[in-house]
Amino acid sequence: MAKDEFISTGIDKLDKLLEGGTPRGFSVLILGTPGSSVEILCKQLATVGKVLYFTTEETEDEILNTISRFGWDKSNIKIVDIASEYSKAVLSSEEKRISVYKQRSKIKLKELIEIGSSGLPPTQKGAEDFLAVLSNKLKSAKYEKIIINSLDFFLSQYRQEEVIRTVHAAKISNLENKGVLFIIMTRGIHGDIFERKMEGIADCVLELEVLQKGSAFERFLAVKKMKNYAKKIGIARYIIDSDGFVLEMIERIM
Amino acid sequence: MANVLIDGLKERISNAIKINQSIGIMLPGSNYSDLVQALFEYINSKPEEAWVYVTVTKPYGTLVKQYEYLLEAKNIKFIDCISRAAGILRSDSNCIYLESPSMLEKLGLEIMNIFKEVDEDTEKFLVIDSLSNLIIYNDAEIVTEFFYHIVNRTRAKDIHTISLAIEEEGLEKHLNRLIYLNDKILKVRDSFI
Amino acid sequence: MQEEERLIVDNERCKTGIDELDIQLGGGIPTGSTVLMVGSSGSGKTTLCMQFLINGAQQGERGVFFTITEPLFKLTKNMEGFSFYDKKLVESGMVNLIDLRIISERLGLDTEKYTAEDASALLDILRDIADELNVKRLVIDSITALCYRLQTPEMIRDFIFKLGSSLAAMKCTTLLTSEVPPMTFQYSQYGIEEFISDGIMFLGDLERKGDLIRTFQIVKMRGAAHSRTKSAMSISSKSGVELAPLLKSRE
Ligand SMILES: Nc1ncnc2c1ncn2[C@@H]1O[C@H](COP(=O)(O)OP(=O)(O)OP(=O)(O)O)[C@@H](O)[C@H]1O
Ligand SMILES: [Mg+2]
């Protein structure tokens, strides 16, 4: 019964911290800071269950290589490689740019006037609409876990309201699919109000923090919000070794 | 009985407008519908003339329901200043709807635009129904300025005007100032009946 | 003698064809000027500019309308609602409607963002097209939308000044539309468009008894003794844009 209710995160102690895993239908916001190795956490999350993984920073190859290095299972991951698509789009538009004058000399003025007066709608968009890609893929998803790493990319390309709308839609379809949606976002760069809004939408908020203690750094994973499970709020120190995330000292706040 | 009254009104209008460029008609509210009936019957009997009727009192829809022959009349065009503002949306070939009775400049433009399309030799007439209602929707000062423009412009184009002023308490002062811009004033009194 | 003098004056003025406006301008816009048509959204900039081109074409002056904000099908659909809009003048090439976005797309420019080089390439094309078509009247609708595609204030400044000098070198009379937020008293979004223009016309609003009355005012016009009074403006299917003296209540 418990197995049905929760989906394992893929990290033993994290499941324990959450008292069984992530409840089905939950949307989990993971707030990272630079140096928290959130990208490793993402991949580790992706090793259990049927997973759809959106990547905006790393390419598919990079991800699969890292997973192999840790010796994790990668047979159940489907990766949507927005990072590669984006860099291709940027490159090709750079290529086009360089040739504006060349292009100009190739087309006769009369022809250009004719094109301009023909009134056909633009044939191709300047770049792919990645937010649309995201929301379409999310809708059709039949996966146990969906990981978006990271929302930062979309926030750099689209207005916050548009992104929020997509996240909302994703949350709802995830609820229907009874999977778990993980959204990764960097803390402190999108404005307080936006962070509050995102925390409001999420059913569960995990925060990774790096604190300096003398000359060493200590890393903490905090469960900041757990909807309907108040008692699960807690904090754990973690390190990263050859097995990935290892949670050490668990402290329950409530 | 009523016919005698209507005929009397028609005759007074007819006589006055023949010799004057512009006439103002002062009347108590109780005589309003008689006067309008007289006016419409008079207009209907003059198919060779061109009339523009500005209504700030009753919606065009209400007028044509009451006087069905207006629907077919070729010699009269309406400018309805109140339907749109009241949220009534209809479109008629015979009527221009103004967004609001406070758009006086636009009203002036529309009036002159209709007359622009009329033959030089056709006799032209403008009815403003009514100055008192224009004052209700606008400041009296601005209506005075508007009316002053209209009287001058219509005079320059040889257009006759008939302006109605319904006597209303509190408005006399303004109405008197306006109505005396006309060449001739007709006073309709209850006592005539 | 007198007849001849009048002819010369007429030659130097580009009649907008909106009677009251030409009267206010003392005959028309001084030929060759660049005029900024400022107004908020829906104030009638596009309509007035199109009327200017159509009226010109009826007098044998060829014109070109560069649209950036609205795609052509939308522009023509809106304009077909006005009786002044004579499709035949478009079909015969007296009025040319050109979608700048399609052209920039065709040249491989990112339609949403321009670099400085893109912008000057586009300027060259604008000029070449105007030359090729031998137009006497030119409209760019809107300059705000063009600048919106430039990334930094410096680029915008630079572009506007280049545009100004290109337009000055051309012989045609130009209307540039400029969008400003409603109820503002600035003439342009970037604060510099007005320096390259010889004239500024402002399409505004005035609240009266809770209704908004359209207003029109010539703010400046180099080389013309013009009226500076605010007029009331009307837009109607039948007559397009018209002006009338604004009634001033003592409020
Ligand atoms: N057929 C019509 N009859 C009367 N008024 C019309 C008609 N078509 C449009 N209008 C009015 O004209 C206005 C549109 O004018 P126009 O498109 O020229 O404005 P604009 O200043 O170019 O606006 P934008 O900044 O949105 O491009 C509309 O707000 C509408 O009220
Ligand atoms: Mg426009």
Side-chain angles (χ1 to χ4, degrees), chain C residues 45-47 69-70 141 179:
Chain C
K45 303 179 294 291
T46 303
T47 311
T69 34
E70 281 173 298
D141 185 18
E179 285 153 40

Side-chain angles (χ1 to χ4, degrees), chain A:
Chain A
M1 192 64 207
K3 258 223 150 64
D4 276 338
E5 227 179 299
F6 298 96
I7 295 177
S8 165
T9 57
I11 300 157
D12 229 16
K13 294 251 180 67
L14 181 56
D15 283 349
K16 215 165 265 170
L17 183 67
L18 295 171
E19 295 189 356
T22 326
R24 285 184 182 271
F26 258 43
S27 295
V28 183
L29 175 68
I30 303 179
L31 295 166
T33 42
S36 63
S37 301
V38 67
E39 69 286 353
I40 294 176
L41 176 63
C42 285
K43 283 164 209 129
Q44 206 165 353
L45 291 171
T47 54
V48 175
K50 204 161 172 277
V51 178
L52 180 65
Y53 192 112
F54 293 90
T55 173
T56 61
E57 252 68 30
E58 298 168 288
T59 64
E60 178 163 7
D61 288 345
E62 287 174 297
I63 292 172
L64 293 177
N65 283 342
T66 310
I67 293 181
S68 303
R69 201 155 38 95
F70 278 102
W72 294 327
D73 178 22
K74 58 184 179 188
S75 55
N76 275 320
I77 308 180
K78 164 98 179 82
I79 295 177
V80 180
D81 190 346
I82 290 175
S84 300
E85 286 301 315
Y86 180 64
S87 63
K88 258 189 255 160
V90 170
L91 278 179
S92 77
S93 80
E94 279 308 312
E95 250 164 49
K96 278 192 215 156
R97 273 197 195 300
I98 296 161
S99 60
V100 170
Y101 277 100
K102 226 198 275 167
Q103 190 86 350
R104 166 78 175 83
S105 61
K106 274 191 285 185
I107 308 174
K108 288 209 186 68
L109 197 59
K110 282 227 168 64
E111 204 180 313
L112 207 54
I113 293 173
E114 208 163 288
I115 297 163
S117 327
S118 65
L120 291 169
T123 43
Q124 58 183 105
K125 271 290 206 181
E128 198 165 356
D129 186 346
F130 294 110
L131 197 60
V133 169
L134 179 66
S135 38
N136 288 337
K137 287 249 156 70
L138 284 171
K139 245 181 279 167
S140 58
K142 277 274 177 258
Y143 295 90
E144 284 183 292
K145 274 186 195 167
I146 296 171
I147 300 169
I148 301 171
N149 185 24
S150 72
L151 208 62
D152 299 343
F153 168 80
F154 297 100
L155 287 165
S156 71
Q157 303 280 317
Y158 301 90
R159 288 183 302 122
Q160 289 188 344
E161 302 88 82
E162 290 178 81
V163 175
I164 287 267
R165 220 176 297 138
T166 306
V167 169
H168 251 298
K171 173 184 159 146
I172 289 165
S173 63
N174 175 60
L175 195 64
E176 281 166 0
N177 293 339
K178 299 208 168 21
V180 182
L181 172 68
F182 292 97
I183 298 173
I184 287 76
M185 185 173 111
T186 302
R187 148 133 287 166
I189 58 171
H190 302 299
D192 274 353
I193 296 172
F194 184 77
E195 272 182 25
R196 288 291 107 70
K197 278 190 195 159
M198 284 299 299
E199 287 177 14
I201 295 173
D203 303 297
C204 167
V205 179
L206 304 181
E207 186 172 353
L208 304 185
E209 239 182 312
V210 182
L211 295 177
Q212 193 168 6
K213 284 249 170 99
S215 63
F217 288 95
E218 287 196 354
R219 292 157 162 164
F220 294 92
L221 187 157
V223 183
K224 255 186 101 180
K225 171 181 176 182
M226 195 73 189
K227 204 175 89 186
N228 299 333
Y229 295 85
K231 66 177 199 298
K232 291 188 178 175
I233 289 184
I235 189 164
R237 202 170 65 202
Y238 69 88
I239 55 160
I240 292 153
D241 65 12
S242 57
D243 292 331
F245 263 61
V246 180
L247 270 56
E248 292 183 322
M249 192 185 67
I250 295 180
E251 195 180 305
R252 218 163 279 294
I253 295 169
M254 275 190 274

Side-chain angles (χ1 to χ4, degrees), chain C residues 40-48 70 81-82 179 214 235-237:
Chain C
S40 61
S41 179
S43 59
K45 303 179 294 291
T46 303
T47 311
L48 205 160
E70 281 173 298
F82 293 102
E179 285 153 40
R214 295 182 195 275
I235 304 179
S236 63
S237 323

Side-chain angles (χ1 to χ4, degrees), chain B residues 96 99-106 109-110 113-114 116-117 136-139 141-142 145-146 149 153 177, chain C residues 19 206 208-214 232-236 238-239 242-251:
Chain B
I96 292 169
E99 290 97 316
S100 144
S102 64
M103 306 214 159
L104 296 174
E105 292 91 346
K106 187 144 188 169
L109 278 171
E110 297 289 8
N113 281 341
I114 298 178
K116 250 186 232 164
E117 290 182 0
I136 290 172
Y137 293 110
N138 294 280
D139 294 331
E141 312 289 342
I142 212 164
E145 200 185 337
F146 164 76
H149 276 288
R153 265 185 278 173
R177 242 175 60 201
Chain C
D19 294 340
L206 183 103
R208 182 187 294 161
K209 297 273 168 192
D211 291 320
L212 286 179
I213 312 264
R214 295 182 195 275
M233 188 178 113
S234 145
I235 304 179
S236 63
K238 214 162 160 197
S239 323
E242 286 177 292
L243 304 181
L246 185 68
L247 302 170
K248 299 174 186 73
S249 58
R250 274 176 285 160
E251 279 164 281

